[in-house]
């Protein structure tokens, strides 16, 4: 790993594509583009990039709206047409490519299809799979898991559960569970069943 920031749009794109969710890819790309190769010499590229970053940031934070898709589409097409150099036009092409996946529209409906944007997901324990071993209690540094470890000949346990208010969605409990009883679900679904 190096501290040197990529300066070529293709390199930033390659780094962005290491993420799963197209919205996260686009946010990463545009943030790095603004911090590096974007020189500010022409209006459609500079203003478009700043505007896109604000919209994408809101989307990742769970504040996606349908009109954002139109705005991003308009920004990308203005950048493609009006950018003075390859860097701006590349950026527009990448944005269009990510927009075309359809995942942006799903975010506007409250769903991250890749289940990677923290604002759109919840961690939950599948009670039917949980053997009450208590491994997840040790793994969670945030005190977000409640439950009592099962002991022989004693009944009336508090079942294991994850409390939303304390969960920071770090994901560390998942590999700790030997039963694969902890899963990532859509936050919308969690709301529906009151997880
Ligand atoms: S399109 Fe090129 S010249 Fe224009 S602001 Fe972007 S990087 Fe600079
Ligand atoms: S995702 Fe992180 S904070 Fe949430 S319950 Fe699991 S370990 Fe705890
Ligand atoms: S680690 Fe898995 S099986 Fe063990 S208590 Fe936690 S959720 Fe249940």
């Amino acid at each position: 790993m190096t501290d040197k920031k990529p300066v070529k749009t293709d390199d930033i794109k390659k780094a962005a594509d290491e993420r799963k969710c197209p919205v996260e890819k686009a946010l990463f790309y545009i943030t790095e583009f603004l911090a590096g190769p974007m020189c500010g010499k022409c209006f459609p590229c500079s203003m478009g990039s700043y505007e896109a970053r604000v919209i994408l940031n809101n989307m990742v934070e769970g504040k996606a709206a349908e009109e954002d898709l139109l705005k991003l589409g308009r920004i990308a097409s203005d950048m493609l047409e009006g950018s003075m150099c390859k860097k701006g036009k590349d950026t527009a092409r990448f944005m269009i490519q990510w927009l075309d996946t359809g995942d942006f529209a799903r975010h506007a409906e409250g769903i991250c299809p890749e289940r990677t944007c923290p604002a759109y997901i919840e961690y939950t324990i599948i009670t039917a799979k949980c053997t009450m071993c208590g491994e997840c209690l040790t793994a969670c540094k945030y005190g977000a898991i409640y439950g009592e470890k099962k002991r022989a000949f004693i009944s009336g346990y508090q079942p294991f559960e994850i409390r939303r208010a304390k969960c920071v969605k770090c994901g560390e409990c998942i590999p700790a569970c030997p039963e694969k009883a902890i899963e990532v679900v859509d936050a919308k679904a969690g709301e529906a069943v009151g997880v």
Side-chain angles (χ1 to χ4, degrees), residues 16-25 103 112 114-116:
D17 278 336
E18 285 169 21
R19 282 138 194 86
K20 281 186 175 173
C21 170
V23 179
E24 287 182 314
K25 289 179 196 216
D103 279 19
C112 171
E114 295 292 342
R115 289 186 174 155
T116 52

Side-chain angles (χ1 to χ4, degrees), residues 110-145:
I111 305 280
C112 171
E114 295 292 342
R115 289 186 174 155
T116 52
C117 290
Y120 297 82
I121 56 168
E122 298 290 347
Y123 285 75
T124 191
I125 294 176
I126 310 299
T127 314
K129 292 186 182 175
C130 176
T131 55
M132 299 176 143
C133 68
E135 292 294 323
C136 54
L137 281 181
T138 319
C140 181
K141 300 182 191 83
Y142 303 93
I145 300 183

Side-chain angles (χ1 to χ4, degrees), residues 45-80:
C45 174
S46 54
M47 284 310 292
S49 302
Y50 280 112
E51 205 185 333
R53 185 173 59 178
V54 172
I55 296 170
L56 291 165
N57 209 34
N58 283 340
M59 281 189 128
V60 164
E61 286 178 359
K63 292 170 269 180
E66 235 172 81
E67 70 225 39
D68 292 335
L69 309 179
L70 297 175
K71 281 187 202 161
L72 287 171
R74 193 246 318 139
I75 291 168
S77 104
D78 288 353
M79 280 177 80
L80 190 58

Side-chain angles (χ1 to χ4, degrees), residues 123 139-142 144-145 162 166-173:
Y123 285 75
C140 181
K141 300 182 191 83
Y142 303 93
I145 300 183
I162 294 172
K166 286 192 167 182
C167 177
V168 300
K169 303 173 185 176
C170 67
E172 284 173 28
C173 51

Side-chain angles (χ1 to χ4, degrees), residues 5-105:
K5 283 190 171 295
V7 288
K8 289 186 179 164
T9 49
D10 284 342
D11 291 340
I12 302 176
K13 168 77 161 47
K14 213 178 280 173
D17 278 336
E18 285 169 21
R19 282 138 194 86
K20 281 186 175 173
C21 170
V23 179
E24 287 182 314
K25 289 179 196 216
L27 177 60
F28 174 88
Y29 177 92
I30 213 80
T31 304
E32 293 298 308
F33 180 62
L34 282 165
M38 208 288 291
C39 71
K41 280 186 191 149
C42 64
F43 188 76
C45 174
S46 54
M47 284 310 292
S49 302
Y50 280 112
E51 205 185 333
R53 185 173 59 178
V54 172
I55 296 170
L56 291 165
N57 209 34
N58 283 340
M59 281 189 128
V60 164
E61 286 178 359
K63 292 170 269 180
E66 235 172 81
E67 70 225 39
D68 292 335
L69 309 179
L70 297 175
K71 281 187 202 161
L72 287 171
R74 193 246 318 139
I75 291 168
S77 104
D78 288 353
M79 280 177 80
L80 190 58
E81 205 178 315
S83 290
M84 265 169 34
C85 81
K86 180 180 179 299
K87 293 181 283 182
K89 290 190 189 294
D90 275 352
T91 300
R93 276 190 281 269
F94 300 150
M95 293 279 285
I96 291 166
Q97 188 183 318
W98 287 318
L99 277 165
D100 281 349
T101 61
D103 279 19
F104 282 67

